[in-house]
Amino acid sequence: MSRRLIYTATQNYELAFAYYETAMAIDWGGRYGDFNTIVAYDYINFIEKSLNQAFLKTNESYFKQKLESLKEEYEYQPADIVVILTWNTDNTDIDLH
């Protein structure tokens, strides 16, 4: 889920916000590992890069509070690049060099 993908698909910040909130509210269980952390990092970037948009601007105090709580809960550290790997084959190993 990426901010650009959601917004490009919807052209709607309100809907993108709803997608993030829905993804964060669901208990994905152990099968999906760090899904919530991945969504939280993307949500943080969405908020930071979208605060000047009308929807976020009219709810600015909520989003600033949400931003700070996500950063604290997920121990957010900005990164130049984030790599997410997934595969659907059991009993396999991947070595990264």
Side-chain angles (χ1 to χ4, degrees), residues 7-56:
Y7 179 73
T8 300
T10 65
Q11 296 293 302
N12 185 322
Y13 282 92
E14 293 92 336
L15 188 55
F17 162 74
Y19 284 148
Y20 280 113
E21 286 294 314
T22 300
M24 294 297 299
I26 295 172
D27 178 10
W28 295 95
R31 178 175 176 175
Y32 296 99
D34 291 326
F35 182 78
N36 281 68
T37 302
I38 294 165
V39 172
Y41 270 54
D42 202 45
Y43 196 9
I44 288 166
N45 288 319
F46 168 75
I47 294 171
E48 287 180 333
K49 293 178 180 166
S50 305
L51 271 175
N52 63 340
Q53 300 302 314
F55 172 70
L56 275 72

